[in-house]
Amino acid sequence: MRIHATRRTVLAGAAAATAAAAAPSVAQATSRNATASPTAGRGPRVGILLYDGYSLLDPTGPAEILSRLPGATVTMIAERRGPVRTDTGDVAVMADRSIAEVDRLDVLLVPGAGNRGTVGAMENRALLDFIRRVDRHTRFTTSVCTGALVLAAAGLLTAGQRATTYWASAGYLESEFGVVYVPERWVRSGKLITAAGVSAGLDMSLYLAAELAGDTVAQGIQLAVEYDPRPPFDAGDASQASPELKALALRLLEESQT
């Protein structure tokens, strides 16, 4: 006998034993989440801005989470359609829309980058104009890592507002823009949600998923992508890191970037 297994049949087989028992709670979640959708009759429109030199996980981690929202559309956007390369130059992600083709989004996400990419984005008038234009109609405007600096350069993060960013850029965010740096995984200030460095975009995206579709759906997405981090080292908190480890971290980043 020939057995043809697909991802759907494998996953469905594993989940079948619990589906019946979970049915009542799923129905309740669907009822609650119907009122949480940001658009009538369909899911949220999420746009992720790409620019030369972004850090790979900044856009792709949130895309993995947010694309699982019921009815959601997640679109990569750049100045021009086509591949946009990361800070290492080794990987490119395809932008399906140009900034000229996008007017309305429910969620805008601006990723971070290394020095070259961040400075380039902060000085790119077309990108900053796009961010300001789209932000007028978003339900949430978000950033990951040094994307907070880009939001500040666009005038969305201003003096006195609370935000987070990559730990090594916190001083610059405060001194250059007067933004109050908060050392948390994500920080919400009105409709602006900023995430700390790179991996923190996953945490922020799960919070955002809960805001858009309710806690139960967000928890289901977390389980669906099996996000249960247990790193082999306790070295990810900059406030607990030695000066030597911080220097090493920054050197590794600099040497890996083009």
Side-chain angles (χ1 to χ4, degrees):
M1 176 184 297
R2 182 179 179 183
I3 300 176
H4 178 66
T6 66
R7 179 180 175 87
R8 180 181 296 275
T9 58
V10 170
L11 294 178
T18 59
S25 61
V26 170
Q28 293 166 6
T30 301
S31 176
R32 287 196 302 271
N33 294 336
T35 62
S37 175
T39 54
R42 56 185 174 83
R45 299 163 296 176
V46 180
I48 300 178
L49 182 63
L50 302 180
Y51 54 88
D52 182 54
Y54 64 89
S55 298
L56 179 61
L57 190 61
D58 286 17
T60 57
E64 176 68 35
I65 300 294
L66 299 175
S67 64
R68 310 299 176 177
L69 286 167
T73 57
V74 177
T75 305
M76 298 294 181
I77 305 163
E79 278 196 88
R80 291 167 292 278
R81 291 190 183 197
V84 185
R85 293 216 163 261
T86 65
D87 52 358
T88 66
D90 296 327
V91 180
V93 173
M94 184 68 67
D96 291 320
R97 293 287 183 272
S98 72
I99 57 176
E101 297 175 295
V102 179
D103 291 319
R104 297 288 184 103
L105 293 168
D106 298 303
V107 178
L108 172 64
L109 185 143
V110 179
N115 287 332
R116 176 181 62 80
T118 301
V119 171
M122 292 172 66
E123 295 178 346
N124 188 321
R125 181 171 296 180
L127 291 185
L128 299 183
D129 286 345
F130 167 77
I131 291 169
R132 286 189 287 262
R133 172 166 54 85
V134 171
D135 173 72
R136 289 198 292 266
H137 304 288
T138 59
R139 180 173 177 186
F140 295 103
T141 297
T142 70
S143 68
V144 179
C145 195
T146 58
L149 300 180
V150 182
L151 292 185
L156 302 189
L157 275 177
T158 57
Q161 281 187 285
R162 301 168 70 255
T164 191
T165 187
Y166 186 58
W167 57 268
S169 301
Y172 184 83
L173 183 65
E174 290 193 314
S175 63
E176 187 70 14
F177 299 103
V179 175
V180 178
Y181 169 68
V182 182
E184 299 290 349
R185 292 290 278 178
W186 78 88
V187 173
R188 179 171 178 178
S189 179
K191 74 170 187 176
L192 297 179
I193 309 175
T194 53
V198 191
S199 65
L202 292 165
D203 296 358
M204 183 269 288
S205 296
L206 284 170
Y207 169 77
L208 181 57
E211 290 297 295
L212 292 168
D215 289 357
T216 302
V217 169
Q219 291 169 14
I221 293 172
Q222 181 175 351
L223 179 58
V225 301
E226 201 168 355
Y227 180 50
D228 186 23
R230 299 177 189 179
F233 308 106
D234 184 17
D237 185 349
S239 68
Q240 303 298 317
S242 68
E244 293 79 14
L245 188 58
K246 289 182 179 179
L248 173 61
L250 295 177
R251 178 169 62 81
L252 292 170
L253 281 178
E254 183 177 2
E255 291 176 352
S256 67
Q257 295 167 356
T258 57

